[in-house]
Amino acid sequence: MNFGVPITNDYLRKLKPYAGMSDAELTAKDRSKVALDQKDTFAHLAIERLEQLKKDYGLGVTTLCRIYNASGDQLTVNFNYSWRGYFHKDSPALTIENGQWTVFIHVQTKYIPRGSAGAVVYRTAERDDIFLGWQTPFHPSYYPACVAEVKEKNSQWWDSDSQERMLQRLYYGAADRCNVEGKGYKIDIQIGNSTTSFCVATIQKA
């Protein structure tokens, strides 16, 4: 589920610095900047939805994912994946407009003590892929972790070997925050430190 007003060229033209500018004059960087300025406007609605989803799910390991699109353009889900657990109730929305939050929760399978580990891969307007992954362990003596990557479309990095590589990275080579830059984007993702943790990511134009 998404929250926020899409920040498009028409939205920008209502603002004094961009009044009267043509589509050719406005850039993804302009739309990204305005989206970042508006980031907190609808954040409370996104958090409220996550709290509702958690209440609906109940007890159990939960990763509460909140992703903000400030890329300057629409992001589209290429695919999502679960190593441990599943997406509860709301799967990731298929698209996120620039200036919107999207939210979903990823949870452990009931009565199976393996925690939550999953990922979403977003396709950008430039047709590159952004990987956002997380893992929230069942056992409290281990710590949640998250990973972001950006690669070219069809780079074949998501075959069976890379699926296992990314899972191993999440469990043994990742931390509670990851910042990456590539293909004209900056991605920041961070996760909490409990068996119910917020995982928050922002994708912006570099």
Side-chain angles (χ1 to χ4, degrees), residues 49 52-53 56-57 86-92 104-105 107:
R49 178 58 180 167
Q52 292 169 358
L53 288 169
D56 179 79
Y57 170 68
Y86 64 97
F87 295 94
H88 175 71
K89 204 164 187 177
D90 291 348
S91 295
F104 52 86
I105 68 172
V107 301

Side-chain angles (χ1 to χ4, degrees), residues 186-199:
K186 293 180 181 179
I187 303 105
D188 174 80
I189 185 171
Q190 54 188 309
I191 194 168
N193 60 2
S194 71
T195 54
T196 293
S197 288
F198 281 97
C199 183

Side-chain angles (χ1 to χ4, degrees), residues 9-143:
N9 285 349
D10 286 340
Y11 184 100
L12 262 61
R13 277 188 282 265
K14 296 175 183 177
L15 306 176
K16 188 173 181 179
Y18 306 101
M21 294 180 68
S22 68
D23 286 347
E25 293 173 303
L26 294 169
T27 67
K29 184 74 172 178
D30 295 326
R31 295 187 294 274
S32 175
K33 180 181 182 300
V34 174
L36 287 172
D37 290 341
Q38 299 291 328
K39 182 177 178 180
D40 294 334
T41 305
F42 294 94
H44 67 288
L45 297 178
I47 294 169
E48 286 174 6
R49 178 58 180 167
L50 288 174
E51 291 172 344
Q52 292 169 358
L53 288 169
K54 173 58 179 173
K55 183 177 180 180
D56 179 79
Y57 170 68
L59 296 176
V61 175
T62 307
T63 310
L64 301 98
C65 298
R66 181 161 54 99
I67 298 165
Y68 189 69
N69 178 13
S71 71
D73 292 296
Q74 184 186 83
L75 295 173
T76 304
V77 171
N78 189 13
F79 60 89
N80 60 63
Y81 192 80
S82 297
W83 291 278
R84 313 273 192 267
Y86 64 97
F87 295 94
H88 175 71
K89 204 164 187 177
D90 291 348
S91 295
L94 294 180
T95 60
I96 322 171
E97 299 299 333
N98 181 56
Q100 288 188 326
W101 287 99
T102 195
V103 301
F104 52 86
I105 68 172
H106 194 267
V107 301
Q108 76 171 84
T109 303
K110 289 287 189 180
Y111 312 116
I112 299 178
R114 300 183 70 193
S116 156
V120 180
V121 176
Y122 289 100
R123 180 68 50 83
T124 72
E126 282 78 19
R127 311 295 291 170
D128 296 310
D129 283 339
I130 294 173
F131 172 98
L132 301 175
W134 60 86
Q135 66 90 4
T136 303
F138 176 82
H139 199 286
S141 62
Y142 296 91
Y143 296 100

Side-chain angles (χ1 to χ4, degrees), residues 115-179:
S116 156
V120 180
V121 176
Y122 289 100
R123 180 68 50 83
T124 72
E126 282 78 19
R127 311 295 291 170
D128 296 310
D129 283 339
I130 294 173
F131 172 98
L132 301 175
W134 60 86
Q135 66 90 4
T136 303
F138 176 82
H139 199 286
S141 62
Y142 296 91
Y143 296 100
C146 54
V147 166
E149 280 192 2
V150 54
K151 292 195 175 185
E152 293 179 1
K153 171 192 172 186
N154 296 329
S155 58
Q156 297 182 342
W157 59 276
W158 194 251
D159 55 22
S160 58
D161 288 340
S162 57
Q163 287 179 15
E164 182 61 25
R165 175 180 65 84
M166 296 307 288
L167 178 62
Q168 293 301 309
R169 183 177 172 192
L170 278 166
Y171 274 94
Y172 303 110
D176 62 356
R177 188 162 194 172
C178 179
N179 293 279

